[in-house]
Amino acid sequence: MKILVCISSVPDTTSKINFTADKSAFDKNGIQWVINPLDEFALTKAVKLQESQGATVTVINVGDAATEPVIRKALAIGANDAVRVNLDPKDSYSTAKEIAAVAQNGGYDLILCGKESIDYNGGSVPGMVAQLLNQPFVNASVGLDVNGSEATAVREIEGGKETISVKLPAVIAGQKGLVDEKDLIIPNMRGIMSARTKPLQVVEPASSEVKVQGVSYDSVPPRAAVKMVSPDNLDELVRLLHEEAKVI
Amino acid sequence: MAVFVYAENINGVYKKAAFEAVSYAKAVADKAGDTVTAISINPTDSSDLLYKYGASNVINIKDEGLKNFSAKAFAQAVSEVADGNIIVFPHTTDASSIAPMLAVMKNYSLITNVLEAPESLSPFQVKRKAFSGKGFMHAKAEGNGVIITVSQNAFGVKENAVSGSEEIKNLSVANEDTKVISHEQSSGKLDLKEAEIVVSAGRGMKGPENWGMIEELANVLGAATACSKPVSDIGWRPHTEHVGQTGKAISPNLYIAVGISGAIQHLAGVNSSKTIVVINNDAEAPFFKSADYGVVGDAFQIIPALTEKIKAIKG
Ligand SMILES: Cc1cc2nc3c(=O)[nH]c(=O)nc-3n(C[C@H](O)[C@H](O)[C@H](O)COP(=O)(O)OP(=O)(O)OC[C@H]3O[C@@H](n4cnc5c(N)ncnc54)[C@H](O)[C@@H]3O)c2cc1C
């Protein structure tokens, strides 16, 4: 079985988000980059399938050379090899097109993604890849088993969950639950050393049609100063919520 | 510029998110000088509910093959009937699965997590959530067709009654790639992303056995319950309740955070709540900086007392 895992390189979750002075772009100054946390669940799941079913795991990232440390981290976690499409992605569609182009020739049985990236929050790449490849798609996946040419995925729905059988090849987008938080793999020294020699292929973009542009960006306006209420005066809190905020 | 909207139902019953999406579509149509056509798949609810928010046409797709959800088959069905250049979806789990597939099928632009009415129609430009709630992006669509997903609780549900008509479309979309094996829905539980009030608790609650008081407060307020990440990681609460950067992003009218420190990753998912109340025994907890109202004190005393007081005013 061949698995392709899509990983995105995103600002570390503790990052303060700033924009350039003209507000036209995200300010990358001083940012630490990490594997998108939701993609880590997908990657760990793939490595587990590699261990249990002898699958090979390829990671793919659409990004410029600056994303290579993040790709190496994915190799250290256990992927066999990696592909980087040499394009600084500008929107979900152009990213999905590149992934689909690589997947098209690779004969992958399963494509795993995170449900969304925590930077631009598009949540669109996995579904677009599935449609570009004309494959079935299961989103928000919190469980996955593979059995020959079929997978059983559990997807989260509002107020519950649904178990689905899916014909492979398919695209599955995961989140926490696909594997447990405690099972996420932290690379050890051996993994880090071997990642240095694993193949990382760089390919040039196939096309770069952009469909959505970020015209400008704003920060979140600060909230007014907090009003503190004494724990002995909860009547006042109730009054404020009722009369001032009008939320109860 | 015909405006279409996907009116999502659960087991035939329209979701609040559907009414919000129709309200949004109506605002777009008014700006465009056109009307709203709503599309629904196997609804049992009356179309009157959609006219009320501004849909003048309702296309009810009848298809036995679509009894169960499949992102691809649903996208195919919507694609067959939606021939406008603007298609509005709510940003629910199902709709966010359909929209990207539909965008590729129709070769349209897709803008997700939309917060406000569009800034312009041609080109289509709109404000959306980005960086997990730590920033906003003004996104512009290229080309002449656009699909958007509207972030829940952002635009609001707005009554705008029109006289409408209904059309039944019988389709039989191929749906062979996926098969639903089982479907579990906990009935009677308020959906976290739709809830107007959310009571949320963190590691400060000490253990799962103490969640009774959180649930009781939520009950009295008609609220949904949520939790911080470590709480769901340890298994005190199901991970469907985890809110934040790596959990659910929510925007209720009122968010009550009990025993939650207010780490940046937690705030990312909740800071678009309209009013935030923080209850924490540590006056230095960072969450107070992002709150509207704060109480420094022991949650184990405050929560039961607050519950009684709210019960009293609710009479
Ligand atoms: C990659 C990554 C992603 C993350 N994503 C998320 C996310 O999506 N959501 C999220 O929530 N976190 C996330 N986190 C974790 C986040 O950094 C914090 O660790 C987490 O939010 C802390 O949860 P907490 O406030 O419940 O616990 P703690 O930090 O332990 O805080 C508990 C609070 O309870 C208070 N308290 C204790 N006893 C009482 C009492 N009796 N009465 C009142 N108050 C009391 C304490 O003063 C303290 O402020 C992420 C972390 C990483 C590394």
Side-chain angles (χ1 to χ4, degrees), chain A residues 12-14 34-35 37 40 118 181, chain B residues 201-206 227-231 233 236 242-248 255 258-269 279-287 295-302:
Chain A
D12 164 43
T13 58
T14 58
V34 297
I35 301 177
E40 267 193 69
I118 61 162
E181 181 79 22
Chain B
R203 209 146 49 176
M205 292 307 292
K206 310 282 192 280
C227 68
S228 66
K229 178 171 179 282
V231 162
D233 288 349
W236 293 356
H242 156 202
V243 292
Q245 188 156 16
T246 51
K248 289 195 172 69
Y255 183 72
V258 186
I260 299 178
S261 59
I264 188 165
Q265 298 98 340
H266 184 85
L267 286 175
I279 297 166
N280 198 305
N281 62 3
D282 173 9
E284 303 299 320
F287 218 151
V295 185
V296 176
D298 185 358
F300 294 89
Q301 267 137 42
I302 293 171

Side-chain angles (χ1 to χ4, degrees), chain A residues 13 119-121 155-156 158 161-163 165 167 176 181 211 213 215-216 218 223 227 229 244, chain B residues 94 131-132 136 138 140 142 179 181-184 229 232-233 248 265 271 273 292-294:
Chain A
T13 58
D119 51 2
Y120 292 92
N121 302 111
R155 76 175 184 110
E156 189 181 312
E158 275 85 1
K161 52 189 175 183
E162 198 168 78
T163 305
S165 77
K167 287 214 177 99
K176 181 161 105 176
E181 181 79 22
K211 285 196 171 288
Q213 283 192 22
V215 179
S216 66
D218 303 322
R223 257 171 217 272
K227 274 193 188 158
V229 178
E244 190 178 80
Chain B
D94 283 4
F131 297 96
S132 304
F136 303 111
H138 299 266
K140 185 178 84 173
E142 307 284 345
K179 204 170 99 220
I181 301 171
S182 69
H183 181 104
E184 298 164 39
K229 178 171 179 282
S232 69
D233 288 349
K248 289 195 172 69
Q265 298 98 340
N271 65 1
S273 307
D292 299 287
Y293 304 105

